[in-house]
Amino acid sequence: MTTPSLTKGEQRQRDLVRAAAEILREEGPGAVSHRKVAARASASLSATTYYFTGLDDLLGQAASLNFNGWIERAARVAAELENREPPTSMDDAVEIVLKSCLPSDAPLENHYLQLTAAAEYPAVRKVYDDNRSALDDAIGTVLAWMGSRLSARLVLAVVDGAAVEALSEGRDIRETARALVRELFVSMGEFAAD
């Protein structure tokens, strides 16, 4: 089945949302402005007000695009693993968890800074809250494939907590998350320590 071609207006609107999503990921919701989005999308400033009811509408659509990307990342990991045997080593299990929980296409510092800033922006916060269960489901699929009894919410909370700890203490986010997920697995008897 082929997808119908987008009209010029639909493509322009997608370009604006994509530009806003990039700014949101890179600099946080406070950096998203009509002027900055228009410049990033090589569009006129009036386009940002024509296609969206306001900045909250644009922010909400940008947040939705980003969050859907996070869900798709975890779902891709689950799909890649479908025909493989579950991991037998702690290191493999931890790497699979990190791959499903952490973005690889953006600096992690920016990812977590924009997440913590989201609380101040109702349009962004609502999208994140409304879509959280879909992200948990995608990560839960990965954990179930691994044979883990842990909930996706707990694992993601450990990964996110590790990121905040690393940011506040000037350490590497991935390494801190790796160490804490290992500790979680050991403490819950999920995998024998390597």
Side-chain angles (χ1 to χ4, degrees):
M1 184 165 108
T2 60
T3 305
S5 297
L6 297 176
T7 66
K8 186 176 179 182
E10 290 168 332
Q11 186 59 54
R12 173 63 66 205
Q13 186 174 8
R14 280 191 180 187
D15 291 345
L16 291 165
V17 170
R18 192 174 300 114
E22 289 170 2
I23 296 166
L24 177 59
R25 281 193 311 269
E26 294 167 6
E27 302 176 54
V32 177
S33 69
H34 289 289
R35 187 171 307 282
K36 204 168 195 176
V37 170
R40 174 77 61 108
S42 300
S44 67
L45 183 57
S46 63
T48 64
T49 56
Y50 178 79
Y51 291 107
F52 307 96
T53 59
L55 192 56
D56 281 348
D57 181 24
L58 178 56
L59 263 172
Q61 289 190 44
S64 184
L65 182 65
N66 284 343
F67 209 96
N68 285 334
W70 305 336
I71 294 166
E72 288 167 10
R73 176 192 62 234
R76 270 192 314 272
V77 171
E80 289 169 8
L81 300 173
E82 232 172 54
N83 297 319
R84 286 181 40 193
E85 291 294 317
T88 54
S89 78
M90 172 80 74
D91 287 341
D92 288 345
V94 169
E95 290 311 310
I96 289 167
V97 166
L98 294 183
K99 188 174 179 183
S100 65
C101 293
L102 293 175
S104 60
D105 60 345
L108 290 177
E109 294 82 3
N110 295 355
H111 175 70
Y112 282 99
L113 292 174
Q114 68 92 17
L115 281 179
T116 57
E120 298 175 35
Y121 296 85
V124 177
R125 185 180 63 232
K126 180 172 179 7
V127 168
Y128 289 1
D129 183 51
D130 289 350
N131 290 285
R132 177 58 192 258
S133 63
L135 179 60
D136 289 343
D137 288 347
I139 293 170
T141 299
V142 172
L143 293 168
W145 169 84
M146 289 172 39
S148 175
R149 298 177 317 270
L150 300 174
S151 73
R153 199 164 188 94
L154 174 61
V155 170
L156 194 53
V158 168
V159 171
D160 290 347
V164 172
E165 177 184 314
L167 282 170
S168 67
E169 297 173 6
R171 289 187 280 121
D172 182 84
I173 292 173
R174 281 189 195 283
E175 288 306 314
T176 305
R178 188 173 284 117
L180 289 179
V181 170
R182 280 182 67 84
E183 187 176 328
L184 175 65
F185 280 166
V186 168
S187 69
M188 299 302 290
E190 291 286 306
F191 291 92
D194 294 339

